[in-house]
Amino acid sequence: MTFQKYSQDNKTFPTLVLIGTFILFAAFFISFEQMYMLVMLAILVMLLYGMSVFYEKHVDDYLSIEFPRANIRHYQGDQGELEVTIEQKGILPLFNAMLIVEMDDIVHFEGGRHVRRRYATTFHQAFNLMFWEKRTFKIPYSTEKRGVARIHHVEIKAPNMFGFGSIFMRSLTRFKQEIIVYPKKSAVANIDLMAPKRMGYHRANHSLFDDHTLPVGTRDYESGDAFNRIHWKASAKEGNLQTKDFEKASQISWCFLVNIHDEYGRGVHENIEQLLEKTAYMMHYATTHQIPYRLFVNVSSIDQIPFMHLLEGEGQKHYQRSLELLARLKLLTFTAKYERLLHFVDKHESPPAYIIHVGHVKASQLANLKRLERKGSALYFLNEEGIHKTYQGEVAMHG
């Protein structure tokens, strides 16, 4: 393991070394009895200095720091522990040492210090480590907000065993440790407006449509049943007309379109975190009701699709990927115009049953959303108050 190392010397020790050198030189000009004691004293001082230099140079040769768990996942407001292991495989111990860990302020270390200037939180742990010893420390923390906390600084401060100064050893290793904090789920009013809309492939308990590829049995003929649905073999066997019964199906796919910009299109929406919490709630609702969904956010991406996105899917794994994307969403980064995102969805995405716009929308953007609506999708708007069929600022836009 590689460390960037520097020392903070005490001025007393170099002074003693200088005095010892002078004594050793002067001993040759005085009597033997006095010279013997002076030489021994000078040699002792020089020996301590040499051992001090050796300790400083080699104390980290076999020293290692590890974080056993690569990724830790939490919801906002959870409690957890960060494990860090320090091992000395060499013969040089550490006494009265101090471990310093700095992470993003997505988490808050219990008993730590918040550095607002760097958006960081730091923790200090005193410890002793003998030679060939391995110790594991658990640092308690709480998750303060949505995001990903990474380790930016790990350092060990230790006094020099044979000197009067301190040694600072900063790890140059890029640790893969991450604490991923999912947004909390904030309930959405009027979510019951999202009902099945038209024929498709999503199975449902109650629907106006049948999937003719999924027969589930037969039932007695009822007035109004289509002639082509009569099961003739079952009718002959039962002695009365039988009708084929099919799996109910409906297309209830959702598409979330998130605009993180404010009403002027320059900054970030002031309540974007609250809107992301409501989006997480709707994704959880979709997962529990087996509704497939996709997500687009106007934050730039280096992928083939130039926006942060999640392709259509359903189930628990898809939901976990959704939370991961929301957690990793950096708002103070490169963004794209929302019009570009809408144009991309219009040209490259199949029309979903429901389009759910999240955030502010300008008149030009609303026109693009209406064009998507004319292709067969139902358009809804999600704001701090819940889900709505019309955008609250739409009346003001048109005067």
Side-chain angles (χ1 to χ4, degrees), residues 33 91 102 104 120 169 189 224 236 255 275 290 298 311 374 377 382 393 397:
E33 292 80 5
I91 61 172
E102 180 179 288
D104 296 294
M169 295 168 281
C255 179
L275 293 177
Q290 299 178 338
N298 60 330
L311 298 179
R374 288 193 293 272
S377 300
L382 177 64
M397 289 178 184

Side-chain angles (χ1 to χ4, degrees), residues 230-242:
I230 296 177
H231 197 302
W232 295 107
K233 289 184 178 180
S235 298
K237 184 177 180 181
E238 296 292 332
N240 59 335
L241 288 176
Q242 297 289 307

Side-chain angles (χ1 to χ4, degrees), residues 60-217:
D60 62 324
D61 285 355
Y62 301 97
L63 184 66
S64 65
I65 303 173
E66 292 182 357
F67 293 86
R69 299 174 62 186
N71 290 323
I72 306 174
R73 292 174 171 82
H74 289 288
Y75 284 97
Q76 192 175 342
D78 286 351
Q79 306 287 325
E81 289 182 333
L82 177 68
E83 291 187 7
V84 53
T85 299
I86 305 176
E87 185 174 10
Q88 175 60 290
K89 297 180 181 179
I91 61 172
L92 299 178
L94 296 170
F95 295 118
N96 299 320
M98 181 71 68
L99 170 67
I100 304 169
V101 178
E102 180 179 288
M103 295 189 75
D104 296 294
D105 63 355
I106 302 300
V107 301
H108 178 69
F109 289 127
E110 184 179 322
R113 185 169 62 93
H114 186 203
V115 187
R116 296 184 183 276
R117 202 174 40 180
R118 296 202 302 267
Y119 301 100
T121 179
T122 63
F123 183 84
H124 296 70
Q125 174 70 55
F127 70 97
N128 294 316
L129 190 69
M130 300 299 293
F131 46 86
W132 303 316
E133 186 181 7
K134 181 178 181 180
R135 294 192 62 183
T136 298
F137 304 97
K138 294 184 178 181
I139 307 173
Y141 61 82
S142 59
T143 55
E144 295 295 304
K145 52 188 175 181
R146 174 198 64 83
V148 178
R150 297 181 178 89
I151 295 173
H152 295 295
H153 178 84
V154 178
E155 185 176 60
I156 293 178
K157 175 185 176 183
N160 194 313
M161 282 183 61
F162 305 100
F164 296 94
S166 297
I167 304 170
F168 296 84
M169 295 168 281
R170 181 172 182 173
S171 174
L172 297 179
T173 302
R174 193 183 184 92
F175 295 102
K176 296 181 179 180
Q177 172 76 60
E178 291 182 338
I179 300 177
I180 304 167
V181 182
Y182 298 149
K184 60 184 178 183
K185 299 185 289 291
S186 181
V188 177
N190 305 324
I191 198 170
D192 56 329
L193 294 174
M194 315 293 288
K197 183 176 181 290
R198 65 170 186 265
M199 179 63 185
Y201 301 102
H202 182 73
R203 299 183 185 182
N205 294 327
H206 304 286
S207 176
L208 299 176
F209 314 106
D210 297 324
D211 189 341
H212 290 257
T213 65
L214 299 171
V216 294

Side-chain angles (χ1 to χ4, degrees), residues 221-222 224-232 241-244:
Y221 177 83
E222 295 177 359
D225 285 346
F227 184 76
N228 61 355
R229 294 183 58 178
I230 296 177
H231 197 302
W232 295 107
L241 288 176
Q242 297 289 307
T243 301
K244 297 176 184 177

Side-chain angles (χ1 to χ4, degrees), residues 249-278:
S250 60
Q251 185 181 14
I252 333 176
S253 61
W254 293 359
C255 179
F256 294 94
L257 303 178
V258 182
N259 179 19
I260 70 167
H261 289 154
D262 59 16
E263 56 184 322
Y264 305 105
R266 294 188 293 269
V268 176
H269 191 298
E270 59 182 356
N271 294 325
I272 189 64
E273 292 296 339
Q274 185 179 353
L275 293 177
L276 292 179
E277 291 171 8
K278 291 186 177 295

